[in-house]
């Protein structure tokens, strides 16, 4: 049973990398432009952007546009502006 327990950690890591389970970023290259195809005849969706941050975070995060309108399957590119309120570099990942 010890060997099974020992082997389960790398197997779980591989499972998470392949599926994106537990917040793991998928490592394989996926061409989302090929997979994202607008569906004709569907209703227009309004996607609103929120940029709340914790009070303890020393930065401001602002969407450059308040919303976009898309149909299901349509890809859209949006931008946010990040402002560091300290004099030290900060790294953020979204």
């Amino acid at each position: 049973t010890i060997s099974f327990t020992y082997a389960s950690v790398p197997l779980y890591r591989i499972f998470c990398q392949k599926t994106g389970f537990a917040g793991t970023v998928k490592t394989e290259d996926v061409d989302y432009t090929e997979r994202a195809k607008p569906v004709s005849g569907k209703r227009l969706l309004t996607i609103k952007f929120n940029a709340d941050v914790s009070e303890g975070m020393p930065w401001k995060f602002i969407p450059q546009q308040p919303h976009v309108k898309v149909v299901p399957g349509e890809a859209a590119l949006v931008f946010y502006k990040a402002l560091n309120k300290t004099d030290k570099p900060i790294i953020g990942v979204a």
Side-chain angles (χ1 to χ4, degrees), residues 3-94:
S3 61
F4 175 74
T5 305
Y6 207 68
S8 65
V9 173
L11 291 174
Y12 181 72
R13 185 177 298 126
I14 291 168
F15 168 77
C16 290
Q17 287 174 340
K18 290 293 182 187
T19 63
F21 186 75
T24 306
V25 177
K26 290 185 179 184
T27 56
E28 62 188 39
D29 290 331
V30 178
D31 185 7
Y32 290 104
T33 57
E34 280 297 314
R35 294 178 61 185
K37 300 285 184 191
V39 179
S40 63
K42 297 295 179 181
R43 67 184 184 144
L44 194 62
L45 303 174
T46 300
I47 310 298
K48 297 179 181 179
F49 300 106
N50 185 341
D52 291 339
V53 294
S54 171
E55 288 183 23
M57 294 292 289
W59 58 8
K60 192 173 182 181
F61 198 55
I62 309 157
Q64 294 299 291
Q65 63 267 27
H67 64 274
V68 294
K69 293 183 184 268
V70 294
V71 294
E74 180 181 2
L77 182 62
V78 297
F79 294 94
Y80 279 78
K81 181 178 182 180
L83 175 66
N84 180 356
K85 296 181 179 179
T86 71
D87 59 350
K88 297 180 179 165
I90 296 178
I91 295 174
V93 177

